[in-house]
Amino acid sequence: MTIGEGRLLGEGNHSPIAPRAPARGRQVIPSWEKCSWSENRQSKVTIDLITALPQVVRGPLESGILGRALEDGAGDDGPVAEVRVHDLRDYAEGRHDQIDDYPFGGGGGMVLKPGPLVRCLEALAEKHGAPDDVIYLAPDGERFTQKAANRLSRSDYLVLVAGRYKGIDERVRRRWITREISIGDYVLSGGELPALVLIDAVVRLQPGALGDARSALTDSFQDDLLDAPVYTRPASFRGMEVPAVLRSGDHERIARWRFDESLRRTRARRPDLLAGEDAPSERPSPEDDGASSEKTA
């Protein structure tokens, strides 16, 4: 398995983490192309996750597409990503391994102390170098979108900080965190589930994570549209039929149908997606749509 755990030793004089500069040659490319496989990258992405509850993330990281990507990948080239989980309590000090304390000024809830977090961040930087980003999962961060996932998928090394309780000390946010991300306008008990959402979204875009690399390009939001309806066998189920166009073998008609249905669904359910500058204005070609070369019975 490529899911690592455990404390990184190496106490001493550490310097604050600074994100490294982007690799040269990375160009700005439009919409769905802003993902890892479009660069034909050779190295795998590495993600360090700092959490007070490592047991919460173990199961999802070992299951499904994500688990296969971290263990074997979809091809013969081995894992396509590495996720290392670090228990924040390994960096605590004192008899009780305390990682949280009451907030200054009073009020309910607890706050994660700066000491354990910074010691962990500095130990990671000493051993692995500066990351592309140190991301704190927080409800007041920028909204996580598919475009953000695409861009993050092109990173080589990310560090994620999962908060707990009322959050982390503001001084850590100001000096050591380089990016803050929210998965929605609601509050969870901690940042572990949002971190798993981000990891899944980034890892599935790595070359070799999916059996069909182009499958991710037709997902909802890749072109500011929701995905078109999908069907599988049988062609008739309890009186409901699969649209004839999908069984026609005419790839141009299928591509047009999928685009029209995608646009119709987006207008009905998420019209806000069509208000941006990147809203699609023309139908994709059959090759872009990824239509199969076989008829569906």
Side-chain angles (χ1 to χ4, degrees), residues 137-156:
L137 286 306
D140 55 348
E142 64 179 281
R143 180 74 66 87
F144 189 52
T145 64
Q146 186 60 51
K147 288 182 180 180
N150 290 349
R151 294 186 181 106
L152 288 173
S153 76
R154 301 166 65 224
S155 304
D156 294 314

Side-chain angles (χ1 to χ4, degrees), residues 26 35-46 80 132 151-157 202 205-207:
R26 289 186 175 175
C35 56
S36 178
W37 77 268
S38 66
E39 293 188 305
N40 195 26
R41 60 184 288 155
Q42 300 300 315
S43 61
K44 63 184 178 182
V45 63
T46 299
V80 303
D132 295 310
R151 294 186 181 106
L152 288 173
S153 76
R154 301 166 65 224
S155 304
D156 294 314
Y157 177 34
V202 168
L205 292 174
Q206 302 302 310

Side-chain angles (χ1 to χ4, degrees), residues 88 91 98-101 104 111-122 167-173 176:
L88 186 58
Y91 298 86
Q98 186 178 0
I99 59 172
D100 60 339
D101 210 333
F104 277 112
V111 178
L112 287 178
K113 295 167 62 70
L117 270 173
V118 172
R119 282 192 289 273
C120 183
L121 288 170
E122 290 179 337
I168 67 175
D169 190 288
E170 183 68 19
R171 291 166 291 186
V172 178
R173 296 179 72 166
W176 284 272

Side-chain angles (χ1 to χ4, degrees), residues 53-83:
L53 294 174
Q55 64 271 25
V56 172
V57 302
R58 288 186 185 128
L61 289 176
E62 297 172 353
S63 307
I65 291 175
L66 182 57
R68 290 194 298 272
L70 297 177
E71 184 170 8
D72 299 319
D76 300 324
D77 297 328
V80 303
E82 181 177 10
V83 176

